[in-house]
Amino acid sequence: MDLKPLITLLAIVNPLAIVPFFIHYTQGFSPAQRRATVRTASFTVFCVIAACALLGLQILAFFNISLQSFQVGGGMLLLISAMNMLNAQPAEAKAHTHEMEEGAEKAASGASIAVVPLTIPLLTGPATMSTVVIYADRAHTLWQHVALLGYGLVIALATALCFALADPIARVLGKTGINVMTRLMGLILAALAVEVMAEGLGKLFPGLLG
């Protein structure tokens, strides 16, 4: 069984890096509200991954986009995400936006932050979606597709576990520990991003391989 898709998705989604944001957004929540946020966020993570795995290639075909071009573009997104992580930022964080502040305002007003901004874009943004589509194309058998959906379930469970244990994790690792883990995952993701781009470029320009 190829575990590379699982490793890549764990590196991108990296729920450990989102723990400080979860704590910040839910600091005024009751235990019941926190549990509901954990359930909704983890379920939404699985839904996003499953939707991309099952429908991503059909969407590309509808817009007449070649997978090779998508691999290059997706690899660039992964590399940008890796650079964010090497700077101890969430993989899907965007510069010069107010998503974090808007999320805090939603939480303060009592609105749900489980889907936006917690799941999208902090956990599963464009880089995650493009990665799932790329690996969906490599799944040639039913069991490989089932495995990809299973990886989505593992990511969802990892998200639920990290959020449910957010306070103990924050106490044990602290901000420094979480930043170190995020940077290590970013280094792994950078190598995977180069591999994805190289494969796409090789298919677009076969002369590069010779």
Side-chain angles (χ1 to χ4, degrees), residues 9 12-13 39-57 59 70 92 114-134 136 148-153 155-156 159:
L9 287 173
I12 303 171
V13 177
R39 287 194 300 267
T40 303
S42 55
F43 178 69
T44 307
V45 165
F46 173 74
C47 289
V48 170
I49 293 175
C52 293
L54 297 174
L55 301 174
L57 293 173
I59 293 173
F70 191 78
E92 303 284 10
V115 178
V116 179
L118 203 56
T119 304
I120 304 171
L122 287 179
L123 288 166
T124 54
T128 304
M129 297 175 189
S130 60
T131 299
V132 175
V133 174
I134 290 170
L148 192 56
L149 293 176
Y151 295 153
L153 182 59
I155 300 297
T159 300

Side-chain angles (χ1 to χ4, degrees), residues 94-184:
K94 298 180 179 65
H96 311 301
T97 65
H98 301 284
E99 287 167 346
M100 309 303 179
E101 294 84 352
E102 290 170 359
E105 291 172 3
K106 285 182 66 177
S109 66
S112 173
I113 47 86
V115 178
V116 179
L118 203 56
T119 304
I120 304 171
L122 287 179
L123 288 166
T124 54
T128 304
M129 297 175 189
S130 60
T131 299
V132 175
V133 174
I134 290 170
Y135 282 114
D137 177 70
R138 298 179 183 178
H140 301 299
T141 67
L142 175 62
W143 289 113
Q144 288 175 328
H145 282 93
V146 171
L148 192 56
L149 293 176
Y151 295 153
L153 182 59
V154 172
I155 300 297
L157 292 175
T159 300
L161 183 63
C162 286
F163 287 173
L165 301 176
D167 291 327
I169 288 173
R171 283 196 299 269
V172 172
L173 292 181
K175 185 175 179 60
T176 301
I178 291 175
N179 286 347
V180 169
M181 292 294 294
T182 300
R183 287 188 168 100
L184 286 174

Side-chain angles (χ1 to χ4, degrees), residues 27-43:
Q27 57 188 345
F29 284 19
S30 67
Q33 287 176 309
R34 268 201 167 197
R35 287 193 295 270
T37 300
V38 171
R39 287 194 300 267
T40 303
S42 55
F43 178 69

